[in-house]
Amino acid sequence: MFLLALAIPGAGPGSGEVSAQSEAAPAVEAQQVKRASAIDPGFGGVIISIRSELYLEEPLDVYFLREGGKIANPSDVFRFGRKQSFFAFGNSTVKYQVRAYQLPVGTYRMVAHGIDCPKIPAQDERCLIDRRGLTGTVEVSRPSRGYDAIAPTFEVREGTLTNAGDFALTARNTVEWSAIPPMELSKVGRRFRDLPSGPEPVIPEGFALKFGLFPRSFEDDRGRRY
């Protein structure tokens, strides 16, 4: 069974939990592209990096809603993911992972992030999942959060390339934004250099990366550290 609970002390049955039966429809996984010629008509390119200073026991998803759409409509929400490298020792996700994707034309707003979540978290929700252990099934929490209308946005225009920047999960359970360093950007951007540049992302106050990114573990509600 999967649950989502409000991120407040003492959250439990009857205090903000959302059952799997009320899950939103799943988001669309953003389609990665390797070159400019692979971008379809009606689409534009976007370069984005997803990072995490928390060790990712399960993949991290960051969700973006297309302007005018609804979270309940799976074709309106796109997710970008990040997971630990199979061969890494410790947390490999503090390093930049810059990739290019194609998205339908539109403006996209960050609406949530989650690790191992059964649905897209709403504002002030966190993921609670059931895990089997030696003593039976226990409920544990995972870093997650939904964001309101004041959140980072980027615009995708047909046949252009938008540099959306880097979105990083911090130990404060927030996704914060920073610019992708030129050296990291050039590894992908040179394959799309013939495309016109799209608009700059719009980053509201409070979403800029505050303290840098450092490898960290996290502890769930049962005291288990990852």
Side-chain angles (χ1 to χ4, degrees), residues 21 32 45 52 140:
Q21 293 179 346
Q32 189 176 355
S52 174
V140 296

Side-chain angles (χ1 to χ4, degrees), residues 47-196:
I47 288 180
I48 193 170
S49 171
I50 303 295
R51 292 193 295 158
S52 174
E53 69 177 351
L54 295 179
Y55 180 83
L56 298 179
E57 182 206 14
E58 300 288 346
L60 164 68
D61 291 312
V62 183
Y63 300 94
F64 290 83
L65 174 67
R66 184 164 55 172
E67 186 177 63
K70 296 180 179 180
I71 290 179
N73 185 350
S75 64
D76 291 334
V77 187
F78 291 79
R79 62 180 173 86
F80 299 85
R82 183 69 189 268
K83 59 184 178 180
Q84 291 290 340
S85 170
F86 182 77
F87 298 103
F89 293 95
N91 186 359
S92 65
T93 59
V94 294
K95 298 178 181 178
Y96 291 94
Q97 187 180 78
V98 183
R99 291 178 173 171
Y101 301 85
Q102 69 164 6
L103 291 178
V105 170
T107 298
Y108 294 82
R109 173 173 57 87
M110 184 175 72
V111 291
H113 74 267
I115 298 174
D116 200 21
C117 288
K119 61 164 282 186
I120 300 171
Q123 186 178 355
D124 296 327
E125 285 185 326
R126 64 187 175 96
C127 285
L128 297 177
I129 63 172
D130 285 349
R131 280 292 175 89
R132 296 185 182 277
L134 295 177
T135 59
T137 301
V138 295
E139 188 180 70
V140 296
S141 65
R142 286 293 179 268
S144 59
R145 173 171 290 178
Y147 300 94
D148 62 20
I150 307 300
T153 63
F154 61 83
E155 182 183 353
V156 175
R157 296 178 180 175
E158 184 173 7
T160 68
L161 182 69
T162 295
N163 176 5
D166 176 67
F167 293 81
L169 174 62
T170 73
R172 299 175 293 283
N173 190 31
T174 56
V175 168
E176 299 177 7
W177 182 93
S178 63
I180 301 172
M183 184 175 295
E184 298 290 340
L185 186 63
S186 67
K187 296 175 183 178
V188 174
R190 60 175 174 262
R191 301 198 299 270
F192 298 86
R193 58 180 176 269
D194 294 334
L195 293 181

